[in-house]
Amino acid sequence: LVGNVAAFSSSNQQLSRPSPSPRTQLFMSLKPAAIPLLDSGKALARSGELLIDATTALDLYGGGLSQAGASIRNSGDCVAQAAASCRFKTAAELVTDELREGATCLLEGASTHLKRAVEEAKTDEDEALEATISEMIPLMTKAAESLESSGAAILQRKEVAETGKGLYECGESLEELAKCIRSVSSDINEVSESCDRMTFAALKMREAGDNLRGVEKAKPKGKAWLKG
């Protein structure tokens, strides 16, 4: 009799135990992206700040390239805030909003400010700078579209891997964009540092995407794991 009562009690507890809500499940699935996404956002914001600083040395401060740097900085701030919100159970909507706002900043930087910068380079008859900035426009646009898709996937409650795919593709575009930034000038430290920060942001953005897609990190070969 005692055994039957214990079995009934255990069964009753299992039946009455509430299943995780969709929101809680979403939070649990987004959490693996929090740390690398935060690193990415901070690095992206710093890259934008350094690009603004570089325009002072290039005598372009206040122009389109400078404004594009501000857009990159603002986007990085949004990404970092999205990462911080990944830690909270009820913040899925905030993550969505911040990612999409970050995408809007990048899109504005590409479609408005970089296009203005191209016209300014034409006026200055700087063909090299004109060509470099022209290359930046589709890359920043692609990064914006990918970041937007990652936020939209959360809003539409798609598989978390879809959000990861958007973040990974955004990271790929940012890496290519970083290479273009380096081509803006080979003589100014802030340009090189801006490129380095964006390259790191891209690396961490892809890592966040991989974490959500369930991609395992490659293990060191041989005895490399013994180092450091």
Side-chain angles (χ1 to χ4, degrees):
L1 179 60
V2 174
N4 290 337
V5 171
F8 174 78
S9 177
S10 176
S11 176
N12 190 47
Q13 287 177 0
Q14 292 177 358
L15 291 173
S16 63
R17 185 180 297 120
S19 59
S21 68
R23 177 177 290 179
T24 299
Q25 290 175 339
L26 183 59
F27 155 73
M28 293 171 65
S29 60
L30 290 175
K31 195 172 182 180
I35 293 176
L37 196 60
L38 181 62
D39 291 339
S40 179
K42 289 180 178 179
L44 188 61
R46 182 57 181 154
S47 175
E49 290 175 349
L50 287 163
L51 185 58
I52 295 171
D53 293 342
T55 61
T56 300
L58 291 165
D59 198 23
L60 297 172
Y61 183 79
L65 188 60
S66 179
Q67 292 298 316
S71 294
I72 293 170
R73 178 196 60 201
N74 295 341
S75 179
D77 288 340
C78 290
V79 170
Q81 184 57 54
S85 297
C86 284
R87 302 170 184 270
F88 299 100
K89 293 182 179 180
T90 58
E93 291 84 355
L94 289 176
V95 176
T96 299
D97 291 344
E98 293 293 346
L99 289 178
R100 300 182 82 179
E101 180 61 26
T104 298
C105 291
L106 289 178
L107 188 59
E108 180 182 21
S111 63
T112 301
H113 303 313
L114 286 182
K115 286 185 177 180
R116 175 188 167 193
V118 169
E119 294 303 316
E120 291 169 348
K122 283 183 180 179
T123 301
D124 294 339
E125 299 182 350
D126 190 336
E127 294 182 0
L129 183 60
E130 178 189 344
T132 295
I133 297 174
S134 295
E135 286 185 47
M136 292 171 64
I137 293 174
L139 295 172
M140 192 181 293
T141 300
K142 176 60 177 174
E145 292 171 348
S146 298
L147 196 59
E148 161 66 23
S149 72
S150 68
I154 299 173
L155 181 65
Q156 297 165 10
R157 296 200 176 279
K158 293 183 178 180
E159 293 290 331
V160 72
E162 286 298 312
T163 297
K165 177 183 176 183
L167 294 178
Y168 188 90
E169 290 178 350
C170 178
E172 289 183 318
S173 296
L174 290 178
E175 184 173 16
E176 294 303 312
L177 181 60
K179 295 175 183 177
C180 286
I181 289 176
R182 190 179 297 278
S183 299
V184 167
S185 174
S186 59
D187 303 323
I188 299 174
N189 289 335
E190 288 84 355
V191 170
S192 179
E193 291 174 6
S194 176
C195 169
D196 291 343
R197 287 290 82 202
M198 184 170 287
T199 300
F200 181 75
L203 174 67
K204 288 298 179 178
M205 185 75 77
R206 294 199 305 272
E207 182 180 333
D210 278 344
N211 286 354
L212 294 185
R213 296 190 301 163
V215 176
E216 295 184 4
K217 294 181 180 179
K219 295 181 180 180
K221 296 181 179 180
K223 297 183 179 180
W225 60 272
L226 292 173
K227 298 180 181 180

mmCIF file of all heavy atoms in Angstrom, residues 46-89:
data_model
loop_
_atom_site.group_PDB
_atom_site.id
_atom_site.type_symbol
_atom_site.label_atom_id
_atom_site.label_comp_id
_atom_site.label_asym_id
_atom_site.label_seq_id
_atom_site.Cartn_x
_atom_site.Cartn_y
_atom_site.Cartn_z
ATOM 1 N N ARG A 46 33.230 50.168 -30.974
ATOM 2 C CA ARG A 46 34.566 50.763 -30.934
ATOM 3 C C ARG A 46 35.111 50.977 -32.339
ATOM 4 O O ARG A 46 35.770 51.987 -32.617
ATOM 5 C CB ARG A 46 35.507 49.865 -30.129
ATOM 6 C CG ARG A 46 36.918 50.410 -29.979
ATOM 7 C CD ARG A 46 36.934 51.775 -29.346
ATOM 8 N NE ARG A 46 38.286 52.316 -29.212
ATOM 9 C CZ ARG A 46 38.578 53.599 -29.162
ATOM 10 N NH1 ARG A 46 37.600 54.507 -29.217
ATOM 11 N NH2 ARG A 46 39.827 54.003 -29.037
ATOM 12 N N SER A 47 34.819 50.053 -33.239
ATOM 13 C CA SER A 47 35.239 50.205 -34.627
ATOM 14 C C SER A 47 34.653 51.473 -35.230
ATOM 15 O O SER A 47 35.337 52.228 -35.930
ATOM 16 C CB SER A 47 34.804 48.990 -35.449
ATOM 17 O OG SER A 47 35.107 49.166 -36.817
ATOM 18 N N GLY A 48 33.385 51.715 -34.953
ATOM 19 C CA GLY A 48 32.746 52.922 -35.455
ATOM 20 C C GLY A 48 33.362 54.186 -34.894
ATOM 21 O O GLY A 48 33.578 55.172 -35.615
ATOM 22 N N GLU A 49 33.667 54.167 -33.602
ATOM 23 C CA GLU A 49 34.299 55.331 -32.963
ATOM 24 C C GLU A 49 35.664 55.627 -33.588
ATOM 25 O O GLU A 49 36.020 56.784 -33.840
ATOM 26 C CB GLU A 49 34.457 55.082 -31.463
ATOM 27 C CG GLU A 49 33.143 55.067 -30.698
ATOM 28 C CD GLU A 49 33.324 54.699 -29.237
ATOM 29 O OE1 GLU A 49 34.440 54.254 -28.875
ATOM 30 O OE2 GLU A 49 32.374 54.857 -28.463
ATOM 31 N N LEU A 50 36.420 54.567 -33.833
ATOM 32 C CA LEU A 50 37.756 54.740 -34.432
ATOM 33 C C LEU A 50 37.666 55.254 -35.866
ATOM 34 O O LEU A 50 38.507 56.033 -36.305
ATOM 35 C CB LEU A 50 38.514 53.417 -34.391
ATOM 36 C CG LEU A 50 39.016 52.995 -33.003
ATOM 37 C CD1 LEU A 50 39.374 51.509 -32.986
ATOM 38 C CD2 LEU A 50 40.223 53.837 -32.589
ATOM 39 N N LEU A 51 36.625 54.831 -36.582
ATOM 40 C CA LEU A 51 36.446 55.330 -37.941
ATOM 41 C C LEU A 51 36.124 56.827 -37.914
ATOM 42 O O LEU A 51 36.616 57.585 -38.762
ATOM 43 C CB LEU A 51 35.327 54.549 -38.642
ATOM 44 C CG LEU A 51 35.094 54.883 -40.121
ATOM 45 C CD1 LEU A 51 36.369 54.667 -40.935
ATOM 46 C CD2 LEU A 51 33.954 54.032 -40.686
ATOM 47 N N ILE A 52 35.332 57.253 -36.954
ATOM 48 C CA ILE A 52 35.056 58.684 -36.792
ATOM 49 C C ILE A 52 36.355 59.438 -36.520
ATOM 50 O O ILE A 52 36.620 60.494 -37.115
ATOM 51 C CB ILE A 52 34.048 58.915 -35.649
ATOM 52 C CG1 ILE A 52 32.689 58.301 -35.980
ATOM 53 C CG2 ILE A 52 33.884 60.413 -35.374
ATOM 54 C CD1 ILE A 52 31.719 58.289 -34.816
ATOM 55 N N ASP A 53 37.164 58.888 -35.613
ATOM 56 C CA ASP A 53 38.456 59.519 -35.294
ATOM 57 C C ASP A 53 39.342 59.614 -36.527
ATOM 58 O O ASP A 53 40.053 60.603 -36.728
ATOM 59 C CB ASP A 53 39.175 58.734 -34.200
ATOM 60 C CG ASP A 53 38.464 58.812 -32.853
ATOM 61 O OD1 ASP A 53 37.630 59.726 -32.673
ATOM 62 O OD2 ASP A 53 38.750 57.960 -31.992
ATOM 63 N N ALA A 54 39.297 58.579 -37.360
ATOM 64 C CA ALA A 54 40.137 58.555 -38.562
ATOM 65 C C ALA A 54 39.753 59.662 -39.531
ATOM 66 O O ALA A 54 40.613 60.210 -40.222
ATOM 67 C CB ALA A 54 40.027 57.200 -39.246
ATOM 68 N N THR A 55 38.467 59.995 -39.587
ATOM 69 C CA THR A 55 38.046 61.036 -40.527
ATOM 70 C C THR A 55 38.604 62.406 -40.146
ATOM 71 O O THR A 55 38.729 63.277 -41.016
ATOM 72 C CB THR A 55 36.509 61.125 -40.611
ATOM 73 O OG1 THR A 55 35.961 61.452 -39.326
ATOM 74 C CG2 THR A 55 35.917 59.817 -41.109
ATOM 75 N N THR A 56 38.960 62.590 -38.887
ATOM 76 C CA THR A 56 39.598 63.849 -38.490
ATOM 77 C C THR A 56 40.961 63.971 -39.155
ATOM 78 O O THR A 56 41.313 65.007 -39.726
ATOM 79 C CB THR A 56 39.747 63.923 -36.960
ATOM 80 O OG1 THR A 56 38.451 63.843 -36.353
ATOM 81 C CG2 THR A 56 40.418 65.215 -36.535
ATOM 82 N N ALA A 57 41.729 62.879 -39.098
ATOM 83 C CA ALA A 57 43.056 62.881 -39.725
ATOM 84 C C ALA A 57 42.959 62.972 -41.249
ATOM 85 O O ALA A 57 43.841 63.514 -41.907
ATOM 86 C CB ALA A 57 43.811 61.618 -39.315
ATOM 87 N N LEU A 58 41.861 62.452 -41.798
ATOM 88 C CA LEU A 58 41.665 62.488 -43.245
ATOM 89 C C LEU A 58 41.041 63.800 -43.705
ATOM 90 O O LEU A 58 40.808 63.990 -44.900
ATOM 91 C CB LEU A 58 40.752 61.326 -43.682
ATOM 92 C CG LEU A 58 41.326 59.916 -43.579
ATOM 93 C CD1 LEU A 58 40.216 58.879 -43.691
ATOM 94 C CD2 LEU A 58 42.365 59.703 -44.669
ATOM 95 N N ASP A 59 40.753 64.668 -42.747
ATOM 96 C CA ASP A 59 40.087 65.942 -43.027
ATOM 97 C C ASP A 59 38.702 65.718 -43.646
ATOM 98 O O ASP A 59 38.267 66.444 -44.538
ATOM 99 C CB ASP A 59 40.937 66.808 -43.967
ATOM 100 C CG ASP A 59 40.510 68.286 -43.944
ATOM 101 O OD1 ASP A 59 39.914 68.701 -42.940
ATOM 102 O OD2 ASP A 59 40.757 68.997 -44.933
ATOM 103 N N LEU A 60 38.020 64.679 -43.126
ATOM 104 C CA LEU A 60 36.683 64.344 -43.605
ATOM 105 C C LEU A 60 35.661 64.345 -42.468
ATOM 106 O O LEU A 60 34.531 63.866 -42.643
ATOM 107 C CB LEU A 60 36.694 62.955 -44.267
ATOM 108 C CG LEU A 60 37.553 62.794 -45.523
ATOM 109 C CD1 LEU A 60 37.599 61.325 -45.931
ATOM 110 C CD2 LEU A 60 37.013 63.657 -46.658
ATOM 111 N N TYR A 61 36.054 64.877 -41.317
ATOM 112 C CA TYR A 61 35.168 64.828 -40.156
ATOM 113 C C TYR A 61 33.881 65.599 -40.438
ATOM 114 O O TYR A 61 33.900 66.705 -40.977
ATOM 115 C CB TYR A 61 35.849 65.418 -38.924
ATOM 116 C CG TYR A 61 35.000 65.321 -37.674
ATOM 117 C CD1 TYR A 61 34.917 64.122 -36.972
ATOM 118 C CD2 TYR A 61 34.251 66.405 -37.215
ATOM 119 C CE1 TYR A 61 34.137 64.002 -35.838
ATOM 120 C CE2 TYR A 61 33.472 66.303 -36.086
ATOM 121 C CZ TYR A 61 33.408 65.101 -35.400
ATOM 122 O OH TYR A 61 32.622 64.995 -34.284
ATOM 123 N N GLY A 62 32.754 65.008 -40.063
ATOM 124 C CA GLY A 62 31.453 65.624 -40.285
ATOM 125 C C GLY A 62 30.833 65.250 -41.612
ATOM 126 O O GLY A 62 29.666 65.564 -41.867
ATOM 127 N N GLY A 63 31.595 64.567 -42.463
ATOM 128 C CA GLY A 63 31.089 64.152 -43.765
ATOM 129 C C GLY A 63 30.401 62.798 -43.704
ATOM 130 O O GLY A 63 30.113 62.251 -42.639
ATOM 131 N N GLY A 64 30.152 62.244 -44.886
ATOM 132 C CA GLY A 64 29.427 60.984 -44.959
ATOM 133 C C GLY A 64 30.132 59.819 -44.298
ATOM 134 O O GLY A 64 29.501 59.001 -43.626
ATOM 135 N N LEU A 65 31.453 59.730 -44.459
ATOM 136 C CA LEU A 65 32.198 58.629 -43.853
ATOM 137 C C LEU A 65 32.164 58.724 -42.337
ATOM 138 O O LEU A 65 32.052 57.707 -41.640
ATOM 139 C CB LEU A 65 33.640 58.625 -44.367
ATOM 140 C CG LEU A 65 34.497 57.420 -43.974
ATOM 141 C CD1 LEU A 65 33.874 56.127 -44.499
ATOM 142 C CD2 LEU A 65 35.920 57.570 -44.505
ATOM 143 N N SER A 66 32.259 59.920 -41.826
ATOM 144 C CA SER A 66 32.175 60.134 -40.388
ATOM 145 C C SER A 66 30.807 59.717 -39.854
ATOM 146 O O SER A 66 30.695 59.053 -38.812
ATOM 147 C CB SER A 66 32.442 61.615 -40.068
ATOM 148 O OG SER A 66 32.338 61.851 -38.684
ATOM 149 N N GLN A 67 29.762 60.088 -40.575
ATOM 150 C CA GLN A 67 28.405 59.716 -40.170
ATOM 151 C C GLN A 67 28.190 58.210 -40.260
ATOM 152 O O GLN A 67 27.477 57.623 -39.441
ATOM 153 C CB GLN A 67 27.388 60.452 -41.042
ATOM 154 C CG GLN A 67 27.348 61.949 -40.822
ATOM 155 C CD GLN A 67 26.943 62.302 -39.403
ATOM 156 O OE1 GLN A 67 26.015 61.723 -38.837
ATOM 157 N NE2 GLN A 67 27.649 63.260 -38.809
ATOM 158 N N ALA A 68 28.825 57.576 -41.241
ATOM 159 C CA ALA A 68 28.737 56.119 -41.344
ATOM 160 C C ALA A 68 29.389 55.458 -40.129
ATOM 161 O O ALA A 68 28.903 54.447 -39.611
ATOM 162 C CB ALA A 68 29.410 55.638 -42.627
ATOM 163 N N GLY A 69 30.507 56.046 -39.670
ATOM 164 C CA GLY A 69 31.145 55.541 -38.456
ATOM 165 C C GLY A 69 30.217 55.631 -37.259
ATOM 166 O O GLY A 69 30.164 54.720 -36.418
ATOM 167 N N ALA A 70 29.453 56.731 -37.187
ATOM 168 C CA ALA A 70 28.488 56.885 -36.090
ATOM 169 C C ALA A 70 27.396 55.820 -36.178
ATOM 170 O O ALA A 70 26.945 55.288 -35.155
ATOM 171 C CB ALA A 70 27.879 58.281 -36.126
ATOM 172 N N SER A 71 26.986 55.495 -37.389
ATOM 173 C CA SER A 71 25.977 54.448 -37.575
ATOM 174 C C SER A 71 26.502 53.086 -37.117
ATOM 175 O O SER A 71 25.773 52.304 -36.497
ATOM 176 C CB SER A 71 25.554 54.376 -39.041
ATOM 177 O OG SER A 71 24.877 55.551 -39.440
ATOM 178 N N ILE A 72 27.774 52.813 -37.432
ATOM 179 C CA ILE A 72 28.391 51.553 -36.995
ATOM 180 C C ILE A 72 28.475 51.515 -35.470
ATOM 181 O O ILE A 72 28.179 50.491 -34.848
ATOM 182 C CB ILE A 72 29.783 51.397 -37.632
ATOM 183 C CG1 ILE A 72 29.657 51.212 -39.144
ATOM 184 C CG2 ILE A 72 30.534 50.221 -37.019
ATOM 185 C CD1 ILE A 72 30.976 51.299 -39.893
ATOM 186 N N ARG A 73 28.882 52.633 -34.873
ATOM 187 C CA ARG A 73 28.946 52.704 -33.409
ATOM 188 C C ARG A 73 27.576 52.448 -32.783
ATOM 189 O O ARG A 73 27.444 51.667 -31.825
ATOM 190 C CB ARG A 73 29.448 54.079 -32.993
ATOM 191 C CG ARG A 73 29.507 54.295 -31.470
ATOM 192 C CD ARG A 73 29.639 55.776 -31.151
ATOM 193 N NE ARG A 73 28.487 56.528 -31.670
ATOM 194 C CZ ARG A 73 28.490 57.839 -31.914
ATOM 195 N NH1 ARG A 73 29.590 58.544 -31.722
ATOM 196 N NH2 ARG A 73 27.394 58.435 -32.379
ATOM 197 N N ASN A 74 26.549 53.089 -33.311
ATOM 198 C CA ASN A 74 25.205 52.926 -32.770
ATOM 199 C C ASN A 74 24.693 51.505 -32.941
ATOM 200 O O ASN A 74 24.018 50.961 -32.053
ATOM 201 C CB ASN A 74 24.247 53.911 -33.444
ATOM 202 C CG ASN A 74 24.577 55.354 -33.125
ATOM 203 O OD1 ASN A 74 25.282 55.645 -32.160
ATOM 204 N ND2 ASN A 74 24.080 56.278 -33.938
ATOM 205 N N SER A 75 25.024 50.897 -34.069
ATOM 206 C CA SER A 75 24.632 49.510 -34.291
ATOM 207 C C SER A 75 25.291 48.592 -33.269
ATOM 208 O O SER A 75 24.646 47.689 -32.718
ATOM 209 C CB SER A 75 25.021 49.080 -35.705
ATOM 210 O OG SER A 75 24.674 47.724 -35.933
ATOM 211 N N GLY A 76 26.568 48.830 -32.998
ATOM 212 C CA GLY A 76 27.276 48.024 -32.006
ATOM 213 C C GLY A 76 26.650 48.146 -30.632
ATOM 214 O O GLY A 76 26.522 47.151 -29.900
ATOM 215 N N ASP A 77 26.241 49.354 -30.270
ATOM 216 C CA ASP A 77 25.573 49.556 -28.982
ATOM 217 C C ASP A 77 24.282 48.736 -28.906
ATOM 218 O O ASP A 77 23.964 48.148 -27.863
ATOM 219 C CB ASP A 77 25.255 51.035 -28.770
ATOM 220 C CG ASP A 77 26.499 51.869 -28.479
ATOM 221 O OD1 ASP A 77 27.525 51.287 -28.071
ATOM 222 O OD2 ASP A 77 26.443 53.106 -28.653
ATOM 223 N N CYS A 78 23.538 48.709 -30.008
ATOM 224 C CA CYS A 78 22.292 47.935 -30.040
ATOM 225 C C CYS A 78 22.569 46.436 -29.904
ATOM 226 O O CYS A 78 21.854 45.723 -29.176
ATOM 227 C CB CYS A 78 21.545 48.202 -31.349
ATOM 228 S SG CYS A 78 20.842 49.864 -31.506
ATOM 229 N N VAL A 79 23.583 45.961 -30.594
ATOM 230 C CA VAL A 79 23.936 44.536 -30.525
ATOM 231 C C VAL A 79 24.353 44.162 -29.103
ATOM 232 O O VAL A 79 23.957 43.113 -28.580
ATOM 233 C CB VAL A 79 25.065 44.209 -31.522
ATOM 234 C CG1 VAL A 79 25.615 42.791 -31.285
ATOM 235 C CG2 VAL A 79 24.560 44.342 -32.955
ATOM 236 N N ALA A 80 25.132 45.029 -28.463
ATOM 237 C CA ALA A 80 25.554 44.759 -27.083
ATOM 238 C C ALA A 80 24.355 44.722 -26.145
ATOM 239 O O ALA A 80 24.285 43.884 -25.229
ATOM 240 C CB ALA A 80 26.553 45.830 -26.635
ATOM 241 N N GLN A 81 23.392 45.603 -26.359
ATOM 242 C CA GLN A 81 22.197 45.611 -25.521
ATOM 243 C C GLN A 81 21.357 44.362 -25.764
ATOM 244 O O GLN A 81 20.792 43.785 -24.830
ATOM 245 C CB GLN A 81 21.357 46.860 -25.810
ATOM 246 C CG GLN A 81 20.146 47.003 -24.903
ATOM 247 C CD GLN A 81 20.511 47.013 -23.435
ATOM 248 O OE1 GLN A 81 21.338 47.795 -22.994
ATOM 249 N NE2 GLN A 81 19.906 46.127 -22.660
ATOM 250 N N ALA A 82 21.295 43.938 -27.018
ATOM 251 C CA ALA A 82 20.586 42.688 -27.327
ATOM 252 C C ALA A 82 21.227 41.517 -26.600
ATOM 253 O O ALA A 82 20.539 40.647 -26.053
ATOM 254 C CB ALA A 82 20.592 42.446 -28.834
ATOM 255 N N ALA A 83 22.557 41.493 -26.579
ATOM 256 C CA ALA A 83 23.282 40.418 -25.898
ATOM 257 C C ALA A 83 22.986 40.414 -24.413
ATOM 258 O O ALA A 83 22.767 39.357 -23.813
ATOM 259 C CB ALA A 83 24.780 40.584 -26.131
ATOM 260 N N ALA A 84 22.954 41.605 -23.803
ATOM 261 C CA ALA A 84 22.652 41.691 -22.377
ATOM 262 C C ALA A 84 21.244 41.186 -22.090
ATOM 263 O O ALA A 84 20.996 40.532 -21.075
ATOM 264 C CB ALA A 84 22.806 43.136 -21.900
ATOM 265 N N SER A 85 20.319 41.456 -23.009
ATOM 266 C CA SER A 85 18.930 41.027 -22.813
ATOM 267 C C SER A 85 18.759 39.525 -22.990
ATOM 268 O O SER A 85 17.771 38.960 -22.513
ATOM 269 C CB SER A 85 18.018 41.768 -23.799
ATOM 270 O OG SER A 85 18.044 43.168 -23.565
ATOM 271 N N CYS A 86 19.691 38.873 -23.667
ATOM 272 C CA CYS A 86 19.619 37.414 -23.839
ATOM 273 C C CYS A 86 19.662 36.682 -22.505
ATOM 274 O O CYS A 86 19.289 35.510 -22.416
ATOM 275 C CB CYS A 86 20.790 36.920 -24.710
ATOM 276 S SG CYS A 86 20.627 37.240 -26.469
ATOM 277 N N ARG A 87 20.126 37.361 -21.471
ATOM 278 C CA ARG A 87 20.287 36.723 -20.166
ATOM 279 C C ARG A 87 18.981 36.666 -19.371
ATOM 280 O O ARG A 87 18.902 35.966 -18.361
ATOM 281 C CB ARG A 87 21.336 37.486 -19.341
ATOM 282 C CG ARG A 87 22.704 37.574 -20.000
ATOM 283 C CD ARG A 87 23.598 38.541 -19.248
ATOM 284 N NE ARG A 87 24.879 38.720 -19.912
ATOM 285 C CZ ARG A 87 25.960 37.964 -19.678
ATOM 286 N NH1 ARG A 87 25.902 37.002 -18.789
ATOM 287 N NH2 ARG A 87 27.085 38.193 -20.322
ATOM 288 N N PHE A 88 17.958 37.395 -19.817
ATOM 289 C CA PHE A 88 16.718 37.500 -19.036
ATOM 290 C C PHE A 88 15.587 36.717 -19.691
ATOM 291 O O PHE A 88 15.410 36.757 -20.916
ATOM 292 C CB PHE A 88 16.323 38.970 -18.887
ATOM 293 C CG PHE A 88 17.358 39.796 -18.171
ATOM 294 C CD1 PHE A 88 18.235 40.593 -18.888
ATOM 295 C CD2 PHE A 88 17.470 39.754 -16.789
ATOM 296 C CE1 PHE A 88 19.201 41.346 -18.234
ATOM 297 C CE2 PHE A 88 18.430 40.493 -16.132
ATOM 298 C CZ PHE A 88 19.303 41.295 -16.854
ATOM 299 N N LYS A 89 14.807 36.041 -18.871
ATOM 300 C CA LYS A 89 13.778 35.133 -19.363
ATOM 301 C C LYS A 89 12.673 35.841 -20.135
ATOM 302 O O LYS A 89 12.065 35.254 -21.021
ATOM 303 C CB LYS A 89 13.167 34.361 -18.189
ATOM 304 C CG LYS A 89 14.116 33.382 -17.520
ATOM 305 C CD LYS A 89 13.426 32.615 -16.404
ATOM 306 C CE LYS A 89 14.381 31.624 -15.747
ATOM 307 N NZ LYS A 89 13.727 30.873 -14.655
#
